[in-house]
Amino acid sequence: VLEPPRGGAATKSRRNNNNNNNNNKSIKNKLSSSHNYVLSNADPFAPLKEIAELTLKDVAMSFRFAVDSTRRDFQSGKFMSGLLPRAQKVVDRMTTATGMARGKGIPAPVTGGEGTPAVVSGDIDALNFCAAMRVFAEWRGPGQNSP
């Protein structure tokens, strides 16, 4: 493999049925005009150079951020102060990307209710998880081959 495909826009399929094609085009036009698919775009939301600089620990912290950032008791400043600058950049880009994917004026959900344990199995915002997975997927090639 010379270059792995990037994101959801890497391939396009064509349909033989003209009627389905017209319906699909009108649906795509409606969706694309009102929503930004930044997490599945062919280009990653963080530059590959920045992602390649991450260590496995930095990538793990992107997942920790994905889980913890929507908790009621999450303190962004405290979390970010424990990260190296390279990881802070990627977490900032994750926050921006998930905000764009969520849509203007749509707040992130709050996970973990009052009196629930610190970590509940499966208690994660789907967009945050997608952003962390995208970081991992992009890091997987260059990050594993770094010196």
Side-chain angles (χ1 to χ4, degrees):
V1 176
L2 296 176
E3 186 174 325
R6 302 270 178 230
T11 62
K12 294 182 180 180
S13 63
R14 296 187 185 257
R15 296 179 185 214
N16 292 333
N17 189 338
N18 288 335
N19 196 16
N20 281 343
N21 253 348
N22 291 337
N23 289 339
N24 288 339
K25 285 180 185 177
S26 66
I27 291 170
K28 283 181 183 178
N29 287 340
K30 288 178 187 175
L31 291 175
S32 65
S33 64
S34 64
H35 195 75
N36 188 351
Y37 295 95
V38 67
L39 295 175
S40 62
N41 195 356
D43 297 321
F45 57 83
L48 289 176
K49 183 178 179 184
E50 286 181 15
I51 293 173
E53 292 174 354
L54 299 176
T55 64
L56 180 58
K57 182 178 179 181
D58 297 332
V59 174
M61 293 308 288
S62 73
F63 280 95
R64 175 56 47 204
F65 177 78
V67 172
D68 290 348
S69 65
T70 56
R71 310 246 350 132
R72 286 186 199 286
D73 58 350
F74 180 72
Q75 296 175 353
S76 180
K78 184 177 179 181
F79 181 86
M80 295 297 272
S81 69
L83 299 178
L84 293 172
R86 64 179 178 247
Q88 288 176 354
K89 282 187 212 174
V90 171
V91 167
D92 283 339
R93 291 182 188 275
M94 283 176 60
T95 302
T96 302
T98 55
M100 289 173 64
R102 195 168 274 113
K104 186 177 180 180
I106 308 295
V110 176
T111 57
E114 298 283 332
T116 58
V119 177
V120 178
S121 178
D123 199 8
I124 184 172
D125 174 49
L127 291 177
N128 285 352
F129 178 72
C130 289
M133 282 301 299
R134 183 68 191 261
V135 169
F136 173 70
E138 298 294 348
W139 171 83
R140 192 178 50 188
Q144 289 180 339
N145 296 324
S146 295

